[in-house]
Amino acid sequence: MKYLEMNHVKKSFDGLDVLKDISLSVEEGEVVSIIGPSGSGKTTLLRCATLLETMDCGDLAYLGESAAAIVDGRSVYQKPAQLAKIREKFGLVFQNFNLFPHFTVMKNITDAPIHVQKRPKDEVYREARGLLEKMGLADKESAYPCQLSGGQCQRVAIARALALNPRVLFFDEPTSALDPELTGEVLKVIRSLAQMHITMVIVTHEMAFARDISDRVIFMDGGVVALEGTPSEVFESDNPRMREFLGHYARV
Amino acid sequence: MSFSVMLTQLSAGMVKTVGIFALTLIFSLPLGFLICFGRMAKKGVAGKAAGIFFRAYISVMRGTPLMLQLMVVYFGPFFLFGMSIGSNWRFPAIIIGFSLNYAAYFAEIYRSGIESMPIGQYEAAKLLGYSKPQTFFKIILPQVIKRILPAVTNEVITLVKDTSLAYALAYAEMFTIAKQIVASKSDFMPFIIAAVFYYIFNLIVAMVMEYIEKRLNYYH
Ligand SMILES: Nc1ncnc2c1ncn2[C@@H]1O[C@H](COP(=O)(O)OP(=O)(O)O)[C@@H](O)[C@H]1O
Ligand SMILES: [Mg+2]
């Protein structure tokens, strides 16, 4: 089943065309990585998919439920109540975490399940402890975000997103704000999610990681999908823009 | 006049000073929020109109002397509507004048606090499904309070001293009484006692605010 489907997405900011007719679909259990030079529109695409940004044109659906459809060449969105229901289907992990600094780790994770989803407290806490264990943060539940390293914060943010049981989890450069020695711990957690067949869309600059865990890789360039396929198809392609892009990494 | 009589009279004035102070805060702190929301409203014709109205309100309140505003509130009903104003009107006029003025300052402090919040906090809340009121009251407001506390402390300390402006309406708060005794007894002492009173009052205010700031220091 298609968990996410976006078609003909266009988005411009003050006359600057950032997304030029992009389509993206993700199957249940699939791990899709999006790579590409900075400014190519990766973040904008994720923000459109997660309803943080409105598309100029394009349709968007989760598990067959439409969030927006094209009418006369423009996107028309569903009513807020319907969009709120669709928001439950996905989660997003931000580059800079966006944890709530005045909440403990535990409250960051449990507050939305309890007060938004209205699930029973003890069940939510039990699940949250399980998540923290998986993230290697079992001893941090009463810490505040300011007492944690960047890598720990990002793992809390991942746990916070997972606690709502999203069908699709998006990551926007989850390790870009971290010191190099801390990226490994976050990538390891994401890898473990892939093994659990959680459906994920990951924007990343970690090429080896993307190649390793993805079922499919999308190379974006200049607001279009320049290349799409299995990791080996994409990374071994002789598309000149892809070769040039990878060249920047080879030189580092 | 003996020192102890002086002290007793000034203490009676001090009670009234504290009354102005406390009532002004009780009214102006929440009123500031309403003005702030009006000032930040943008949606629709009503929102734009509110935005313009409250921007002008804040500008006038901050741009004219508080003493003059007190006079306008006190004498306004007479000059504008020909109503008779008795001494019963004096105290309410003072509280209304102070509250309207301080609410304008608080509104701008609240606005700067709300606007300083990173957009990411709103976006994270939206992604997690929080409603708009939940986002404001659970996520944004607690952080805004922490951010604006130093600015609020400044205003509150200014208010302690501004209460003396009530002498313009001959209300018997401490400063008015001090001035009367100095004039009638040609004794400078009441001013010194008043200064000590104001200073101690502000010391207590500063301590309370510092305590609250410390209580909110569990995160940054
Ligand atoms: N809110 C915005 N307003 C104006 N321009 C924007 C906005 N968001 C992104 N852009 C522009 O869109 C382009 C693509 O940005 P982005 O999607 O962040 O790319 P990437 O994530 O691939 O680096 C950039 O040129 C950026 O400056
Ligand atoms: Mg980006």
Side-chain angles (χ1 to χ4, degrees):
Chain A
M1 177 181 197
K2 280 204 170 71
Y3 267 27
L4 165 67
E5 185 158 22
M6 304 175 86
N7 288 305
H8 305 297
V9 177
K10 291 176 194 158
K11 176 73 184 173
S12 62
F13 293 109
D14 326 303
L16 173 72
D17 292 330
V18 175
L19 300 179
K20 307 165 188 164
D21 199 346
I22 285 208
S23 296
L24 167 67
S25 81
V26 181
E27 291 285 331
E28 173 175 1
E30 213 183 0
V31 177
V32 175
S33 290
I34 301 177
I35 59 173
S38 98
S40 57
K42 307 180 296 297
T43 295
T44 306
L45 180 63
L46 283 204
R47 290 175 60 84
C48 287
T50 53
L51 301 173
L52 288 177
E53 208 77 73
T54 51
M55 307 175 288
D56 298 335
C57 171
D59 54 45
L60 169 64
Y62 284 90
L63 291 91
E65 276 181 60
S66 165
I70 305 176
V71 177
D72 295 332
R74 313 277 312 162
S75 282
V76 175
Y77 280 80
Q78 295 281 353
K79 297 217 161 56
Q82 180 70 16
L83 293 181
K85 266 181 63 200
I86 287 174
R87 269 195 198 93
E88 293 174 17
K89 307 261 188 277
F90 59 79
L92 168 64
V93 174
F94 296 87
Q95 185 172 344
N96 55 353
F97 335 131
N98 288 331
L99 291 176
F100 303 131
H102 58 310
F103 285 178
T104 60
V105 165
M106 196 56 162
K107 197 166 163 70
N108 262 287
I109 298 171
T110 57
D111 196 73
I114 293 171
H115 293 107
V116 174
Q117 292 186 330
K118 314 273 186 213
R119 286 166 51 202
K121 268 187 186 170
D122 42 348
E123 177 195 308
V124 170
Y125 275 91
R126 198 165 355 98
E127 278 188 29
R129 295 215 165 85
L131 281 170
L132 282 173
E133 189 105 12
K134 209 179 293 165
M135 301 291 147
L137 295 168
D139 55 335
K140 296 291 183 199
E141 63 175 73
S142 50
Y144 286 90
C146 61
Q147 298 165 321
L148 304 179
S149 71
Q152 290 170 329
C153 281
Q154 194 56 297
R155 284 180 282 154
V156 174
I158 294 171
R160 179 174 74 170
L162 285 172
L164 291 165
N165 295 313
R167 300 302 191 89
V168 185
L169 190 51
F170 294 90
F171 294 82
D172 190 5
E173 301 196 27
T175 59
S176 292
L178 304 179
D179 292 332
E181 73 271 21
L182 300 179
T183 59
E185 61 191 48
V186 171
L187 296 181
K188 197 175 118 199
V189 163
I190 300 174
R191 202 181 290 266
S192 76
L193 300 182
Q195 275 150 13
M196 292 159 56
H197 301 289
I198 292 179
T199 310
M200 295 189 284
V201 178
I202 308 167
V203 171
T204 184
H205 286 294
E206 300 286 338
M207 293 305 142
F209 172 76
R211 182 170 189 153
D212 201 31
I213 71 154
S214 311
D215 298 308
R216 191 149 51 92
V217 176
I218 290 171
F219 172 57
M220 274 180 71
D221 191 21
V224 297
V225 173
L227 208 57
E228 177 170 3
T230 63
S232 48
E233 279 167 6
V234 170
F235 283 100
E236 283 150 31
S237 147
D238 45 18
N239 176 310
R241 274 138 89 197
M242 181 67 192
R243 300 269 35 111
E244 191 203 329
F245 172 67
L246 283 181
H248 292 296
Y249 287 88
R251 249 177 272 138
V252 172
Chain B
M1 187 184 266
S2 76
F3 185 75
S4 68
V5 172
M6 228 179 248
L7 212 57
T8 315
Q9 290 188 359
L10 286 171
S11 300
M14 187 69 193
V15 171
K16 296 194 166 170
T17 296
V18 173
I20 298 175
F21 172 82
L23 286 173
T24 299
L25 285 187
I26 288 170
F27 291 118
S28 63
L29 285 169
L31 186 60
F33 265 110
L34 295 183
I35 296 171
C36 166
F37 291 139
R39 162 82 171 80
M40 297 203 310
K42 287 183 206 77
K43 278 206 187 115
V45 179
K48 287 207 177 74
I52 292 168
F53 174 80
F54 284 107
R55 189 187 289 243
Y57 174 87
I58 291 167
S59 167
V60 169
M61 282 311 196
R62 298 205 303 177
T64 57
L66 174 52
M67 195 190 288
L68 191 130
Q69 292 166 19
L70 290 173
M71 300 275 191
V72 168
V73 174
Y74 184 61
F75 293 112
F78 173 73
F79 286 110
L80 291 175
F81 310 111
M83 292 157 70
S84 67
I85 44 176
S87 57
N88 278 347
W89 174 236
R90 184 170 295 153
F91 184 64
I94 288 168
I95 300 303
I96 291 171
F98 271 100
S99 299
L100 291 178
N101 176 277
Y102 269 78
Y105 285 91
F106 286 133
E108 283 299 271
I109 292 175
Y110 299 157
R111 185 173 68 89
S112 71
I114 290 171
E115 287 179 351
S116 77
M117 285 297 295
I119 186 94
Q121 293 287 301
Y122 291 95
E123 292 184 345
K126 194 172 185 185
L127 255 305
L128 295 171
Y130 288 102
S131 66
K132 281 197 171 137
Q134 279 177 324
T135 302
F136 184 74
F137 288 106
K138 291 187 91 122
I139 313 293
I140 304 300
L141 185 61
Q143 298 185 59
V144 166
I145 289 175
K146 182 181 163 86
R147 281 167 189 241
I148 63 175
L149 213 51
V152 169
T153 301
N154 270 339
E155 282 313 314
V156 174
I157 284 175
T158 305
L159 173 61
V160 169
K161 295 175 286 182
D162 273 358
T163 55
S164 61
L165 289 172
Y167 96 94
L169 300 188
Y171 179 69
E173 46 68 58
M174 184 171 57
F175 185 71
T176 308
I177 292 175
K179 228 175 127 253
Q180 280 165 359
I181 303 174
V182 169
S184 63
K185 310 282 179 220
S186 11
D187 183 346
F188 194 64
M189 191 47 122
F191 278 160
I192 295 175
I193 299 172
V196 172
F197 267 143
Y198 282 120
Y199 184 75
I200 291 173
F201 191 175
N202 260 332
L203 218 52
I204 294 168
V205 167
M207 273 164 56
V208 169
M209 297 307 281
E210 202 173 313
Y211 172 78
I212 300 174
E213 266 181 56
K214 278 223 182 81
R215 283 293 300 268
L216 292 180
N217 252 352
Y218 62 89
Y219 73 92
H220 42 254

